[in-house]
């Protein structure tokens, strides 16, 4: 089995998995990839080309689980300045937008209930964000290093915010904490 770094057609860096005719290896790699996504990613080091498998799907280069209810990874190399997470996504995985320096705005639908740790870490161009009422927790380091973030609205539904969630948000001047 080989693991090679490649550049995909969407100009993403990544890992090419040569699984061949051994379907049991797909589950093995799925676990490794999931674990890797929970670590801090650097230098565009991860691209998963498993969108055609039974576990993942991809829409415009954005990686989701098969049912598109979990957003796993938005490619760092995309040049878009805004992104709307599709309605139906209930979970944003840790590091999903890590290092996406081109994004200035992200729209989160009311279907999202879980926001993992470091989800927007290093999104240095992100200026403001509104957390929908459906979200109950914000993971540790969620916005760490978002140096352009100036405002955030956090609804009453959020009952926990992880450590260092806003560390390094040097431009943050407005935090609204729901009605209560």
């Amino acid at each position: 089995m080989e693991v090679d770094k490649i550049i995909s057609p969407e100009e993403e860096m990544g890992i090419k998995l040569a699984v061949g005719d051994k379907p049991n290896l797909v589950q093995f790699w799925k676990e490794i990839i999931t674990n890797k996504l929970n670590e801090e990613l650097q230098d565009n080091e991860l691209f998963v080309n498993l969108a055609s498998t039974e576990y993942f799907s991809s829409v415009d280069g954005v990686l989701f689980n098969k049912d598109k209810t979990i957003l796993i990874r938005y490619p760092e190399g995309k040049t878009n300045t805004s992104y709307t997470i599709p309605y139906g996504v209930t979970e944003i995985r840790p590091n999903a937008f890590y290092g996406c320096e081109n994004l200035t705005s992200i729209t989160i639908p009311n279907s999202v209930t879980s926001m993992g740790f470091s989800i927007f870490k290093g999104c240095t161009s992100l200026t403001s964000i509104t957390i929908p009422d459906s979200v109950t927790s914000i993971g540790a380091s969620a916005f760490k290093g978002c140096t352009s973030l100036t405002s955030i609205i956090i609804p009453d539904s959020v009952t926990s915010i992880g450590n260092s969630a806003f560390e390094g948000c040097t431009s943050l001047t407005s935090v609204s904490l729901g009605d209560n």
Side-chain angles (χ1 to χ4, degrees), residues 67-85:
D67 299 330
K68 297 184 186 126
T69 57
I70 300 172
L71 191 153
I72 299 171
R73 186 73 172 126
Y74 182 95
E76 284 179 60
K78 285 183 81 74
T79 57
N80 303 44
T81 57
S82 65
Y83 179 68
T84 299
I85 297 170

Side-chain angles (χ1 to χ4, degrees), residues 116-179:
F117 63 86
S118 300
I119 53 171
F120 301 112
K121 184 176 179 180
C123 292
T124 55
S125 297
L126 188 64
T127 57
S128 66
I129 194 158
T130 301
I131 309 296
D133 291 333
S134 55
V135 173
T136 58
S137 65
I138 298 172
S141 302
F143 298 93
K144 186 174 183 176
C146 292
T147 54
S148 297
L149 186 64
T150 58
S151 66
I152 187 164
I153 299 172
I154 302 171
D156 287 333
S157 60
V158 174
T159 57
S160 69
I161 298 174
N163 294 336
S164 304
F166 301 101
E167 181 180 331
C169 294
T170 54
S171 299
L172 190 60
T173 57
S174 173
V175 177
S176 297
L177 299 172
D179 296 329

Side-chain angles (χ1 to χ4, degrees), residues 70-125:
I70 300 172
L71 191 153
I72 299 171
R73 186 73 172 126
Y74 182 95
E76 284 179 60
K78 285 183 81 74
T79 57
N80 303 44
T81 57
S82 65
Y83 179 68
T84 299
I85 297 170
Y87 187 82
V89 170
T90 58
E91 178 182 353
I92 305 171
R93 295 289 298 175
N95 298 301
F97 291 90
Y98 179 89
C100 293
E101 296 177 353
N102 294 319
L103 288 173
T104 59
S105 67
I106 299 168
T107 303
I108 303 171
N110 272 326
S111 58
V112 172
T113 58
S114 176
M115 296 172 63
F117 63 86
S118 300
I119 53 171
F120 301 112
K121 184 176 179 180
C123 292
T124 55
S125 297

